[in-house]
Structures are given as C-alpha cells and as structure tokens.
C-alpha cells in the first residue's frame, strides 16, 4: 500500500517537473501577463542580429488553385473554387490561366533556384488527379505533372512539402455528398491520401493533410466568402470542422501504420490563426477574452489534435450543440501530428469583422503567438507553414512594405528560437508567385515573384521581397549594417557637453522686489489682511540682483544637477523688440537674459544663445512683422539684422557661441500655402542669417571673440528599399532638399544645390509643378557664402525614404518622396525611430559634402513617457553618443560639442525633457552625468585629468554657491571664539581675585 502511494507521488512530481521544463500545457494565457518591470529597451525585445540554427529549413509555398491555372486542360475536373469564381467574380475567365504553373513549371523551378530554398510547399489538385474526386484510374497528365515537379525538386536538392488538400474540393463530391458536411468525405479523403502516399511517398518526407481547416469551415460554410459559398447555420460550421478533424486523424493513422515505417516521412495539418492583445494588460477579464478568442480559432482544431483530443472547454460551454467526440475518438485524434504546422498571414486576419475579437486588439506579433502555442500545447516542434503579407494589385516589383513585414515576422521567429527556446525548425514564405487570392481574387498580390497575368510569357520577375528573402537565406539570419564594435575612448579635453532648452520666457519684473522697495509697510492694521504703506518713511535698500528672478534660481538649480559645460537657450525676439524694430527696446527683458548668462557663468557653464527659435505652434515674430507678411517680406530680414546687432552689443561680451536661427529648414510647415511661399520665406531666412553673421564678423568678433552659425535640422535619410535605385536617389534627394537647401549656399557655393534646381526644373517641364526656386544675385551669393563659423545640427532620427511621384506645387510634393516607418525599429511614443548609426552617417556626409569644419550637435534626444525610469532615453543617449564618438575617433569628424535635448519638458507635448514641467528630475540625468564626467566611454584611465585651473574654479564655484552657509558658519565660529575668550578672561579674573584674597588671609594670620 505504502509502495503504491510512494509510486503515485513520484509519478505526480515527475509529471510536474516535465511540464515545468517543457512548458505547462494549457498555460497560454500567461503570455499576456507582462512583467511589471518590463523594460522597453531589453535586448530580448529589440531586433535581433543573429543567425538561425544550421539545420533550419527555408522554404516557399503555393496553393494549386492559386497558381496552376489550366482548369479545363488535360482532363482536369472542376473544383468547388472553379464554380465559385465563375459565379462570384467578374474576371472569372482569368482564373483559367493565373500564373499558369501547370504549363510553366520550368519557370517556377528557376524561381526556386534563384531563392536558394531548401523546401517547396505545394498542394496537389485533387480534381487534377481524380476529376470526379473518387479514387479510380488517375488522370495521367495530372499524375505526370506532379511526378515531374517532385523529381525536379529533388534534382535541385529541394525537399517537397506536399499538401493534400488546399481548399479545391472536386465539384462532384460537393454536388453528390454536400462536401465536408457529409461524414462520407472522411473515407473519400483517406482513399485519395492513400493513393498519394503510394505514388509519391517514396520521395516526399513532409506531408500536410489539410491547409487551414478553420477557413474551410468558417468561410466556406459560414460567411460564404470562400467556396462552396454556403452561408449556413453555426451548427453546420462546427459539423464541417468536426469532419475535417476526423478526416485528418484517419489519414494520419493510415500513414503511420502503412507508410511511415518504410517511407520515413512526417505528417501534420496546417492550423492558422490571428493573434490578439488585451486592451489592458493588468485586466484579467481582458486577458480571459483574449484566451477565449484564441481558443475559438486556433484551439478549435489544435486542442483535439495537439492537446487532449477534445474541444476547448470554453467552446463546449458556449456552444451546447457542438459535436461530441467519444472517448475512443478522443484517444484516436489526440497526438495526430508529427509537428505543429502553423499559418500566420492575412487570410487569418481578413475580413476582421468575422473574427472573434471580443472587444480586444488584433496584433501581428508572431513571437507571442508562438509562445502561446508552446505553453498551450506542451512545446511542440513548429513549422511556420505560411507567413507573409500582401500588396495592392498595382504594385509590381517594388513591394517595399512586404520587405518590412517579412523582416519583422522572420526576426520574431528568430527571437522565439533564441530567447524563448521555442523549437521552430522551418519557415515558409508565402507565396512563390502572384496568383489568385481567394475572396480577393486578383485585387491583391502575395508573391515573391511578379507575374503579369495578361502577358503570354508570364515571366517570373523577382520582387524586392524575393531579393531580400534570398539574402536572409544566404546569411541564415540577420547581420547588422554597421558592425563597428563599441569604442572605449574619450572626446577631446575641451569637448563641450551641453543641454538645450527652447525659448526662455523672460520675467518682466523681479520676483523678489522687497529688497528694492524702500517703503515701510504695516500689515493688517485695519483687519483687512493687507499691507499699508507708512508715508514719509524710507528704508535703506540694496541694489537689484539677478537672483531676484525666481525662474533664474530654478534654472541654476537644474543646470547644477546636469553638470554640463554649456547651456543652449533661445531669446524671445517679440519680447525684446515688441514693435519689431529698435523704436522700443525692452531693457528689462534684456537685463533678464543678461542675468541668466552671467549667473550661469558663475556655475562654470558657457551659454550658446539662439536669437530666433520658431516652431510650428509659435512663429516667434514680433506682431508688426507678422502683419506685414513675416518671412515672406524681405524687410523682416533687415529687422532681424538690427535685432541681432542689439543682442551682440548687449550680451556679446558674455557669449562665445551664437545660433542665429534654429531649424529654418523646418519652416515649410508654416509657409505651406504654396512651394513658392516656402522657398521665398527660406530665401529671406538665409539672407537674414547671413546679414547677422556679417554684422558680428565686422563689428564684434575682434572684441568678443565669439562664433556664429545657424542650426539645421539634419536627420539622416536611408533608402527604404536598398534593392531599388529610385529609393537611393530619393534618399539623396531628401538630403539635398532638407539639408543642402540651406547648407549648400552657406558652406559651399552660395547657391542652392544643383540637384534641387534640376529636379524642380524637371517637374516643371513635365507640368507636375509650377515652382520657381528664387535666384541669388551676385551680391547675395557673396553675402551668404561662408557665413558660418561652424556647422550646427539638430539630429533626432533616421528617415526611411521611398520614391513616390507627386503632383502639385508644394515643397513636400517637389521632393517626390514618402516616409516609411520601419516596424522592426525601436521607436518612441511620438514614433521617432531609434537608429543610432544614422547619426554617424550624417556626420560623415556633412564632412564629405561641406568639408572638414567644426561641428556642434546642438540638439539630440528622444521622448520617453516614463517619469520615474526613462530607460529609453538612457539607451538612446548611450547609443547615439557612441556613434558620435565613432565619427570623431574613427572618421576624424571635428565634433566640438554635444547638446542633449532638452532640459525641461512642456505640458501636453512629447516628453523630451530631463526634468518634468514642474522641475522633477528623471533617472537619465545621472546617466548623462556619468557620460560627461567620463568625457565619453573611457577604458581604465582618463586622458583628461582636472587641471589646476579647473580645481581652482571648482573651489571658487563651491565658495560662490555656499555663500550663505559659509557666512553662517563664520558667524558661529566667531561667536564661539568670542564666548571662549569671555570665559577665559572671566576665569583669569577669578584666579586673580582668589590669589589676592589668599595673600590677604596670610598677612592677617601673621
């Protein structure tokens, strides 16, 4: 008795251990329960550059009805899809040819050779072998075609993966038996499978019984959007599913018993599904709904076959009419798959209104659904039997979107293998060729090879997705574009580490006026709680001080925590010169800005001052200038010259680095009524900057020793599709229209880029645009050329660019480009892609294009929603500054400074700040501090030790910052000394008195 009990306990814990190691079956819902400490920058969540296992299988697939064509040729019988297409689609005749694989087999084989796949997944047309569906004498032409196909594949070392049924049921079986509604189909299907095993099994090692039975049942007999097009009752749908499961199980047992022992093949069924995510990850009810959604689609077939032989409990409880399996049937069905063949493509997501979403959100995260399968069905071996996406029918070979979908899907599989230990052994890209796409007919394309269905030759032309898939197969995974390892090095010892702020709103009056007001006040004399001035009484006051401005105190506190060497901020033109000219100068505002600069200097922080910082929301021009047309009026440039001269004169003795205008190349967002407006405003901005620079150069440089430039928005552009020259040209064109537009006149020729002028002229000749790019006079060229002492760039991300011809006279249309979001990139909440290598590329491009000049990165940063753990910002700073270091150290780019963006965030805007709008610091401050203190990424020692001057300045800084504390300490010390002196004097006096009394007593006694 005790022995039996002990044996049961051991068996129980053994099973528990096995389940823990292999994955707890039925625990799929845990996929949605995210770790509360989940990191957005965890390596396990980002794009993985790595290779697949050496034995990994790469394949491509097709369905017979989609690509074979020749539906009446060589004795082929009709299928349910032949009738369905002719009754439901206008272009029914075209299905007779399609890609015509039946007569163009050599072209298909050449396409397979081009890709270099290890297997080809195709289906056999049941009605091509047996026109009536009943196994008798086979159609010799059809038999010859499939024998030739299999032999040709093996000759090329390509394994055939053969699907017995991919939806094209012989029409005779539908008409005679009612199709899969009738249980007779189980034996008929088994007979057909037996013939295939006997005929082809000696050469086929992978068999698929049925492709995606969910779609067969749900859309064929429920929604009616698939053949046979029946819109039946829900009971019919589940009855069809029941028969499909039993048919599969019978064929599996047939193969196992009669063929596998000597053919040594494997057999499974392709199950397809969507994926879904809860609205709220912490909501158990939402997670339960997601679990039910998966059970109703994938679990409907997977649980009987890969689980316990029965339907999911949720499904049985929901539908009491659900067919029942007997205990014998459960035992017969469960385990009838040698691997889990999984389909994840658009057919599983469309139409979305037919999916049981249960109020939750559809998702394309292939990695998560693979984890769900692992946990739900006890870690099966998995073959991705169908995966890919679609493009519109008009897309020919430039299927760029398909590349990024493929990149995302395949990398998710790689992550699942490497990080989650999921046993995926092969991947099938769908599909080899463009073909008939079921309910979409020819309105979408899914092939890796483009086929012109109207042509006679029907050449297989590789799309960019074919080129990309070929590259993945050759590399067996993904290799990074830039393989330069991280450097352990430092920037120069005089490198500027800065922080950027936008426009500082000046206080118009001191926040602490009590020290400047000489009047005496009495409070609450009449009980009204107010201050009442005492007439005739004047008190002595101290002079006004910069620290009377409370906002300056706050800025100093924030800057002290940042530990930067430079502070970049912008003045408010409209506050300094409210009329736009020198007729009214707000001296109080100028005093405020001077106070900011002088107080910042006491912290050993230099200021980089921006004169003009326009944004889309706030143009920043004085009202009168706006009323006269703003930057469309050339007089605004002269007004800016006067404004710049005033600032140089009033503040220049304290400022060594000036930015005239911040991102003038982004003002197209404001002056966008027409392209001519955009270019006219830009022209005047260039002239304004150049005149300001000339004023400084001629009148102030010799005495102030400063430098002046303008700051250009300089994101890098990468061709979205590297296999198309038009995309590479578009990326180059974007750089010229975005950066060269302003940089070329200043740093190169004194004129706009030739590329820009030529492309606009080309569009004008074609009648696609009526843009007139302004011309520079010879005087203007001389004025503009060379009007900068360094290159200042604001860089935030890399844009992936597509060539997209556009019609219209707009700046954006003149460029003929569109942007593509790389879904595989780490991105911020505002969808800024984190592409660190783009920083190095743009720095090298600037050096190559405009020469070896000093460069300041005047803004670089990212928005991060987190207030208490901004890991994304830390990751961004570390990666981007590392790329800056590579450009400096390896590419010899003369980078003089780096300014992180930005000091404080603004309310209701993306969170770019190191501090919140109420001045609460974030953890990224400490990380940036460490980069600054290390001056980069040093090895074990630092090249730049603190100099004697720096030590002295640090001591001075301590003295200046701790004046009140030092004064208080001195007072205490002096008081202590005074007390000690009094005590000492008092004790000494007492001793004298005591001695005098003692002598007197002695004298008396004598």
């Amino acid at each position: 008795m005790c022995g039996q009990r002990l044996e049961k306990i051991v068996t129980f814990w053994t099973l528990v251990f096995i389940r823990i190691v292999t994955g707890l079956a039925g625990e799929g819902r845990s996929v949605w329960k995210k770790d509360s400490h989940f990191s957005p920058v965890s390596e396990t969540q980002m794009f993985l550059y790595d290779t697949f296992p050496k034995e990994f299988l790469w394949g491509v697939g097709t369905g017979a009805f989609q690509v074979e064509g020749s539906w009446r040729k060589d004795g082929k019988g009709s299928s349910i899809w032949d009738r369905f297409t002719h009754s439901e689609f206008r272009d029914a005749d075209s299905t007779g040819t399609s890609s015509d694989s039946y007569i163009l087999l050599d072209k298909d084989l050449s396409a397979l050779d081009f890709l270099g796949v290890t297997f080809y997944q195709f289906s056999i047309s049941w009605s091509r072998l047996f026109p009536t569906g009943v196994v008798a004498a086979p159609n010799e032409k059809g038999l010859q075609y499939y024998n030739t196909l299999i032999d040709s594949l093996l000759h090329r070392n390509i394994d055939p993966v053969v699907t017995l049924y991919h939806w094209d049921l012989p029409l005779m079986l539908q008409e005679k038996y009612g199709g899969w509604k009738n249980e007779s189909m189980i034996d008929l299907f088994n007979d057909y499978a037996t013939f295939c095993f006997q005929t082809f099994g000696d050469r086929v090692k992978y068999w698929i019984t049925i492709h995606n039975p969910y779609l067969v049942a749900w859309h064929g007999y429920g929604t009616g959007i698939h053949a046979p097009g029946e819109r039946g009752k829900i009971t019919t749908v589940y009855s069809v599913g029941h028969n499909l499961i039993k048919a599969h199980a019978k064929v599996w047992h047939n193969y196992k018993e009669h063929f596998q022992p000597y053919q040594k093949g494997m057999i499974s069924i392709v199950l397809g599904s969507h994926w879904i995510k809860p609205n709220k990850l912490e909501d158990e009810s939402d997670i339960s709904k997601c679990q039910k959604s998966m059970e109703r689609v994938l679990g409907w077939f997977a649980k009987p076959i890969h689980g316990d032989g029965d339907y999911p409990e949720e499904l049985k409880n929901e539908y009491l009419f659900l067919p029942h399996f007997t205990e014998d049937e459960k035992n017969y069905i469960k385990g009838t798959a040698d691997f889990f063949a999984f389909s994840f493509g658009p057919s599983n997501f469309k139409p979305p209104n037919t999916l049981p979403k249960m109020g939750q959100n559809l998702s394309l995260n292939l990695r998560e659904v693979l984890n769900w399968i692992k946990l739900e069905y006890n870690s099966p071996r998995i073959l991705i039997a169908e995966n890919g996406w679609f493009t519109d029918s008009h897309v020919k070979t430039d299927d760029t979107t398909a590349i990024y979908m493929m990149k995302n899907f395949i990398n998710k599989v790689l992550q699942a293998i490497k990080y989650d230990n999921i046993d995926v052994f092969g991947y099938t890209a769908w599909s080899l060729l463009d073909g008939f796409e079921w309910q979409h007919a020819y309105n979408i394309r899914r092939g890796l090879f483009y086929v012109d269905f109207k042509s006679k030759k029907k050449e297989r032309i590789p799309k960019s997705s074919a080129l990309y898939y070929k590259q993945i197969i050759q590399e067996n995974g993904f290799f990074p574009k830039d393989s330069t390892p991280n450097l352990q090095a430092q920037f120069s010892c005089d490198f500027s580490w800065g922080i950027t702020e936008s426009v500082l709103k000046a206080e118009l009056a001191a926040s602490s006026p009590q020290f400047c007001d000489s009047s005496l006040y009495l409070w609450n004399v009449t009980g009204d709680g107010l201050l009442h001035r005492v007439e005739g009484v004047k008190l002595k006051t101290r002079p006004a001080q910069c620290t009377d401005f409370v906002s300056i105190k706050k800025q100093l506190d924030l800057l002290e925590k940042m530990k930067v060497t430079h502070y970049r901020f912008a003045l408010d033109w409209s506050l300094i010169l409210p009329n736009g000219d020198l007729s009214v100068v707000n001296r109080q505002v100028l005093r405020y800005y001077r106070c900011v600069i002088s107080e910042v200097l006491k912290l050993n922080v230099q200021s980089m001052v921006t004169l003009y910082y326009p944004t889309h929301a706030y143009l920043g021009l004085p009202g009168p200038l706006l009323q006269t047309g703003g930057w469309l009026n050339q007089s605004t440039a002269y007004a800016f010259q006067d404004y710049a001269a005033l600032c140089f004169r009033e503040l220049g003795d304290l400022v060594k680095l000036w930015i005239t205008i911040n991102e003038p190349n982004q003002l197209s967002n404001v002056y966008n009524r027409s392209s001519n407006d955009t270019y006219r405003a830009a022209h005047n901005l260039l002239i304004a900057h150049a005149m300001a620079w000339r004023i400084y150069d001629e009148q102030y440089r010799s005495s102030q020793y400063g430098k002046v430039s303008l700051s250009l928005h300089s994101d890098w552009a990468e061709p979205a599709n590297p296999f198309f020259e038009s995309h590479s040209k578009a990326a180059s064109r974007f750089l010229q229209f975005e950066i060269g537009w302003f940089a070329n006149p200043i740093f190169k020729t004194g004129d706009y880029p030739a590329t820009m002028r030529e492309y606009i002229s080309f569009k004008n000749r074609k009648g696609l645009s009526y843009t007139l790019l302004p011309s520079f006079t010879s005087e203007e060229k001389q004025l503009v050329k060379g009007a900068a002492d360094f290159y200042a760039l604001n860089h935030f991300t890399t844009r992936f660019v597509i060539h997209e011809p556009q019609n219209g006279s707009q700046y954006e249309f003149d460029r003929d480009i569109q942007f593509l979001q790389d879904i595989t990139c780490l991105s911020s909440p505002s969808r800024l892609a984190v592409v660190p290598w783009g920083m190095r590329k743009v720095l090298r491009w600037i050096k190559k294009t405009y020469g070896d000049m000093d460069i300041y990165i005047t803004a670089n940063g990212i928005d991060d929603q987190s207030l208490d753990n901004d890991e994304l910002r830390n990751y961004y700073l570390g990666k981007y500054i590392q790329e800056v270091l590579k450009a400096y150290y390896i590419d010899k780019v003369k980078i003089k400074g780096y300014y992180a963006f930005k000091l404080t965030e603004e309310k209701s805007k993306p969170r770019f700040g190191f501090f919140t709008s109420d001045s609460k610091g974030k953890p990224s401050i400490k990380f940036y501090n460490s980069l600054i203190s290390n001056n980069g990424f040093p090895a074990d020692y630092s090249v730049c030790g603190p100099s004697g001057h720096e030590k002295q300045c640090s001591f001075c800084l301590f003295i200046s910052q701790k004046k009140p504390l030092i004064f208080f300490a001195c007072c205490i010390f002096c008081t202590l000394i005074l007390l000690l002196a009094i005590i000492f004097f008092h004790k000494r006096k007492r001793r004298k008195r005591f001695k005098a009394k003692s002598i007197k007593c002695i004298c008396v006694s004598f």
Side-chain angles (χ1 to χ4, degrees):
M1 186 75 175
C2 291
Q4 289 179 348
R5 187 176 178 185
L6 181 63
E7 186 179 344
K8 287 180 179 179
I9 292 171
V10 170
T11 304
F12 171 77
W13 284 108
T14 302
L15 289 171
V16 168
F17 176 75
I18 290 171
R19 290 184 72 191
I20 289 172
V21 171
T22 60
L24 298 174
E27 289 297 321
R29 65 173 55 242
S30 64
V31 171
W32 295 291
K33 295 178 181 178
K34 296 288 186 184
D35 183 2
S36 58
H37 301 292
F38 173 77
S39 170
V41 295
S42 168
E43 286 191 5
T44 63
Q45 301 301 317
M46 290 190 288
F47 191 86
L48 176 60
Y49 290 101
D50 205 341
T51 57
F52 285 82
K54 287 183 179 180
E55 65 279 5
F56 193 81
L57 304 178
W58 295 101
V60 68
T62 57
F65 183 78
Q66 295 178 279
V67 299
E68 281 185 3
S70 304
W71 71 285
R72 289 178 175 173
K73 193 177 182 69
D74 292 340
K76 178 187 177 296
S78 294
S79 73
I80 56 174
W81 270 97
D82 289 318
R83 184 176 70 176
F84 186 71
T85 53
H86 284 80
S87 62
E88 296 291 327
F89 299 102
R90 291 180 182 178
D91 299 330
D93 290 342
S94 63
T95 61
T97 52
S98 185
S99 304
D100 233 349
S101 289
Y102 180 71
I103 59 174
L104 298 174
L105 176 58
D106 288 343
K107 293 185 178 182
D108 288 358
L109 295 170
S110 295
L112 292 168
D113 288 337
F114 177 87
L115 292 174
V117 293
T118 50
F119 71 87
Y120 177 42
Q121 183 179 325
F122 65 92
S123 70
I124 294 174
S125 172
W126 189 344
S127 58
R128 193 175 294 282
L129 281 182
F130 301 103
T132 65
V134 177
V135 174
N139 176 15
E140 288 299 327
K141 290 287 187 180
L143 184 61
Q144 180 184 346
Y145 170 72
Y146 291 115
N147 272 319
T148 303
L149 171 56
I150 292 170
D151 290 341
S152 299
L153 292 173
L154 293 174
H155 179 71
R156 290 167 165 78
N157 292 319
I158 299 173
D159 288 326
V161 177
V162 180
T163 301
L164 295 172
Y165 181 70
H166 197 138
W167 309 353
D168 49 348
L169 186 71
L171 181 59
M172 293 285 287
L173 299 183
Q174 180 67 33
E175 292 176 340
K176 183 175 182 179
Y177 298 100
W180 289 104
K181 293 182 292 185
N182 195 319
E183 282 196 52
S184 301
M185 287 299 306
I186 297 171
D187 290 328
L188 290 167
F189 183 60
N190 187 53
D191 292 342
Y192 159 61
T194 300
F195 174 83
C196 291
F197 296 151
Q198 291 171 337
T199 307
F200 311 118
D202 59 325
R203 292 159 291 165
V204 176
K205 302 306 175 187
Y206 295 97
W207 291 97
I208 300 296
T209 55
I210 302 167
H211 187 91
N212 210 338
Y214 170 84
L215 297 179
V216 175
W218 193 260
H219 290 322
Y221 296 85
T223 65
I225 63 173
H226 280 194
E230 296 187 10
R231 292 173 175 84
K233 298 178 181 178
I234 192 71
T235 52
T236 303
V237 172
Y238 284 101
S239 176
V240 168
H242 200 70
N243 291 334
L244 287 166
I245 291 171
K246 291 166 76 173
H248 156 76
K250 184 159 190 171
V251 170
W252 186 87
H253 281 285
N254 180 12
Y255 184 78
K256 282 290 180 180
E257 293 170 14
H258 303 109
F259 300 98
Q260 192 181 53
Y262 63 92
Q263 291 183 355
K264 308 298 182 184
M266 291 190 287
I267 185 167
S268 187
I269 179 172
V270 171
L271 302 181
S273 182
H274 64 311
W275 180 241
I276 198 158
K277 300 186 84 167
N279 290 321
K280 297 178 181 178
L281 291 173
E282 66 278 3
D283 191 327
E284 284 292 334
S285 65
D286 281 356
I287 290 175
S288 295
K289 289 174 183 176
C290 289
Q291 179 70 10
K292 288 178 182 178
S293 177
M294 293 302 296
E295 288 177 348
R296 289 187 181 187
V297 179
L298 186 54
W300 177 10
F301 294 89
K303 191 167 180 286
I305 295 168
H306 294 277
D308 59 5
D310 201 1
Y311 295 118
E313 291 301 317
E314 188 277 330
L315 208 59
K316 292 194 291 184
N317 295 334
E318 182 77 16
Y319 302 120
L320 299 177
F321 55 78
L322 201 66
H324 293 284
F325 291 116
T326 66
E327 288 303 316
D328 287 342
E329 286 176 331
K330 290 177 186 177
N331 291 327
Y332 185 75
I333 290 167
K334 71 178 180 181
T336 54
D338 298 330
F339 52 91
F340 197 116
F342 182 58
S343 164
F344 194 72
S347 296
N348 301 302
F349 289 86
K350 289 177 171 288
N353 61 337
T354 64
L355 287 166
K357 293 184 288 185
M358 308 188 75
Q360 307 307 303
N361 304 308
L362 293 175
S363 168
L364 295 176
N365 195 320
L366 178 53
R367 178 183 175 185
E368 288 185 351
V369 72
L370 290 174
N371 270 279
W372 190 86
I373 291 169
K374 172 189 175 181
L375 294 168
E376 199 72 17
Y377 303 113
N378 209 14
S379 299
R381 293 194 76 213
I382 299 174
L383 169 69
I384 308 296
E386 178 190 1
N387 183 235
W389 210 242
F390 66 92
T391 60
D392 293 332
S393 58
H394 65 82
V395 175
K396 294 184 178 180
T397 55
D398 183 2
D399 59 340
T400 304
T401 304
I403 284 181
Y404 285 89
M405 296 299 289
M406 176 184 286
K407 179 183 177 183
N408 179 51
F409 285 137
I410 295 178
N411 201 259
K412 291 295 183 186
V413 175
L414 181 60
Q415 291 172 29
I417 294 170
K418 296 291 183 177
Y419 295 138
D420 307 326
N421 296 315
I422 297 175
D423 188 6
V424 183
F425 68 91
Y427 177 88
T428 311
W430 204 274
S431 71
L432 176 65
L433 311 170
D434 287 336
F436 182 79
E437 292 301 334
W438 311 114
Q439 74 267 27
H440 301 289
Y442 294 103
N443 294 318
I444 65 171
R445 293 176 179 269
R446 291 190 64 191
L448 298 177
F449 287 79
Y450 170 77
V451 177
D452 182 355
F453 303 122
K454 295 179 181 179
S455 68
K456 290 184 178 179
K457 292 185 178 181
K458 293 188 173 62
E459 297 294 345
R460 277 64 168 140
I461 305 172
K463 301 180 185 180
S464 49
S465 57
L467 299 170
Y468 185 63
Y469 191 45
K470 178 181 181 178
Q471 177 182 306
I472 291 174
I473 293 171
Q474 288 175 342
E475 296 176 353
N476 198 34
F478 302 91
F479 287 92
K481 285 189 176 182
D482 181 11
S483 57
T484 307
N486 285 345
L487 292 180
Q488 285 190 315
Q490 292 178 293
F491 293 97
S492 62
C493 297
D494 60 348
F495 191 78
S496 302
W497 290 97
I499 187 72
T500 294
E501 188 62 292
S502 50
V503 177
L504 284 188
K505 290 297 180 183
E507 292 183 58
L508 300 179
S511 308
S512 307
Q514 66 268 30
F515 299 111
C516 306
D517 190 349
S518 60
S519 299
L520 177 66
Y521 296 88
L522 295 176
W523 175 70
N524 203 29
V525 175
T526 60
D528 59 0
L530 300 177
L531 290 170
H532 296 271
R533 183 184 295 175
V534 179
E535 299 296 336
V537 178
K538 293 294 181 181
L539 303 175
K540 187 179 180 180
T541 61
R542 64 160 173 77
Q545 296 181 3
C546 287
T547 49
D548 292 340
F549 295 104
V550 171
S551 61
I552 293 180
K553 293 179 183 177
K554 289 182 179 178
Q555 288 171 59
L556 295 175
D557 182 51
L558 302 185
L559 286 172
E560 186 180 355
K561 292 176 181 175
M562 291 302 301
K563 302 187 187 307
V564 292
T565 63
H566 285 70
Y567 176 39
R568 182 190 172 204
F569 68 91
L571 311 179
D572 192 326
W573 182 3
S574 63
L575 283 180
I576 295 173
L577 298 177
N579 290 345
D581 56 27
L582 299 177
S583 62
V584 177
V585 178
N586 193 327
R587 294 289 170 182
Q588 182 66 15
V589 172
L590 274 174
R591 177 177 173 268
Y592 174 86
Y593 287 131
R594 187 171 181 86
C595 279
V596 171
I597 298 167
S598 61
E599 291 300 311
V600 164
L601 273 172
K602 292 177 183 177
L603 295 178
N604 256 4
V605 175
Q606 296 281 337
S607 292
M608 175 186 277
V609 177
T610 302
L611 295 174
Y612 180 51
Y613 195 103
T615 65
H616 180 66
Y618 178 67
L619 194 53
L621 284 172
L625 296 181
L626 275 174
Q627 292 170 8
T628 56
W631 288 107
L632 294 176
N633 192 329
Q634 194 171 8
S635 63
T636 303
Y638 292 96
F640 182 76
Q641 180 187 31
D642 294 339
Y643 162 63
L646 173 69
C647 295
F648 295 150
R649 183 172 65 249
E650 297 293 329
L651 307 174
D653 59 317
L654 301 178
V655 179
K656 301 305 176 192
L657 292 170
W658 292 93
I659 297 294
T660 55
I661 305 168
N662 184 70
E663 297 188 348
N665 52 342
Q666 293 293 291
L667 276 184
S668 59
N669 296 327
V670 179
Y671 294 99
N672 57 3
R673 189 177 60 181
S674 71
S675 54
N676 289 333
D677 278 0
T678 304
Y679 295 127
R680 172 55 55 193
H683 196 78
N684 290 333
L685 282 160
L686 266 169
I687 298 298
H689 157 76
M691 289 195 299
W693 185 87
R694 295 293 172 189
I695 283 285
Y696 189 86
D697 190 53
E698 294 168 5
Q699 299 181 20
Y700 298 98
R701 189 187 303 278
S702 60
S703 60
Q704 295 179 358
Y705 307 106
K707 293 183 179 181
V708 182
S709 188
L710 80 171
S711 191
L712 296 178
H713 190 98
S714 305
D715 285 340
W716 179 245
E718 194 74 12
N721 189 334
F723 304 104
F724 269 78
E725 187 182 1
S726 63
H727 288 230
S728 298
K729 288 181 178 178
S732 177
R733 189 164 63 247
F734 169 81
L735 293 174
Q736 292 297 336
F737 270 77
E738 184 83 356
I739 302 174
W741 183 16
F742 282 80
N744 218 68
I746 295 171
F747 297 104
K748 205 168 185 181
T749 63
D751 197 2
Y752 297 117
T755 303
M756 198 173 174
R757 286 199 181 278
E758 290 166 4
Y759 201 78
I760 289 173
S761 297
F762 162 76
K763 294 202 70 173
N764 287 340
R765 290 195 300 272
K766 293 282 187 179
L768 302 174
S769 176
Y770 300 97
T771 295
L772 293 174
L773 197 60
S775 297
F776 290 98
T777 65
S778 57
E779 292 80 7
E780 286 176 337
K781 286 183 179 180
Q782 190 174 356
L783 174 73
V784 171
K785 186 177 179 181
D789 301 315
F790 55 90
Y791 189 105
L793 71 146
N794 298 346
H795 176 90
F796 298 93
T797 188
T798 290
R799 315 296 293 271
F800 294 90
V801 179
I802 295 173
H803 172 67
E804 186 71 33
Q806 299 181 71
N807 188 357
S809 297
Q810 295 285 333
Y811 166 71
E812 288 78 11
F813 297 164
D814 285 343
R815 303 180 300 181
D816 280 349
I817 61 170
Q818 287 287 349
F819 300 119
L820 182 141
Q821 187 79 18
D822 185 351
I823 57 175
T824 67
C825 279
L826 176 66
S827 297
S828 75
S830 66
R831 301 188 72 185
L832 282 179
V834 180
V835 189
W837 46 262
M839 170 68 91
R840 183 182 176 190
K841 283 195 171 187
V842 77
L843 290 169
R844 285 190 301 198
W845 183 83
I846 291 167
K847 177 184 176 181
K848 179 181 177 182
T849 308
Y850 303 114
D852 192 15
M853 71 182 86
D854 290 350
I855 295 177
Y856 285 85
I857 299 160
T858 47
N860 179 238
I862 197 166
D863 56 308
D864 190 331
Q865 281 294 102
S866 178
L867 298 177
D868 55 359
N869 189 18
D870 51 345
E871 293 177 285
L872 178 58
R873 182 171 292 107
N874 285 346
Y875 179 85
Y876 182 96
L877 288 171
K879 294 295 183 181
Y880 273 74
I881 293 174
Q882 176 64 225
E883 293 301 314
V884 174
L885 183 65
K886 290 176 186 176
Y888 171 79
Y889 200 81
I890 299 173
D891 307 324
K892 307 303 179 185
V893 181
K894 292 166 66 175
I895 304 162
K896 293 301 200 178
Y898 173 91
Y899 292 67
F901 184 83
K902 69 192 204 72
L903 185 62
T904 55
E905 63 191 32
E906 300 173 64
K907 290 182 179 179
S908 305
K909 289 191 176 180
R911 299 182 182 275
F912 278 91
F914 284 86
F915 292 90
T916 63
S917 54
D918 55 356
S919 302
K920 291 181 180 176
K922 302 177 185 178
S924 53
I925 296 170
K926 187 176 180 181
F927 180 75
Y928 192 41
N929 289 166
S930 67
L931 291 173
I932 295 171
S933 62
N934 290 323
N935 199 31
F937 304 87
D940 297 332
Y941 65 93
S942 175
V943 175
C944 301
S947 64
H949 174 71
E950 287 175 325
K951 290 178 181 177
Q952 182 183 355
C953 288
S954 297
F955 177 73
C956 295
L957 179 62
F958 176 79
I959 294 294
S960 65
Q961 290 174 346
K962 307 299 182 183
K963 278 181 182 178
L965 183 63
I966 293 169
F967 177 75
F968 181 67
C970 288
C971 289
I972 292 176
F973 180 73
C974 291
T975 304
L976 183 62
I977 295 296
L978 183 60
L979 285 173
L980 289 173
I982 292 170
I983 292 169
F984 177 75
F985 177 76
H986 184 66
K987 283 188 174 181
R988 191 171 179 184
K989 196 172 182 181
R990 284 183 65 185
R991 282 180 190 168
K992 285 182 178 180
R993 286 180 183 175
F994 179 75
K995 284 183 179 180
K997 284 182 181 181
S998 299
I999 293 169
K1000 190 175 181 181
C1001 289
I1002 292 169
C1003 291
V1004 171
S1005 62
F1006 278 111

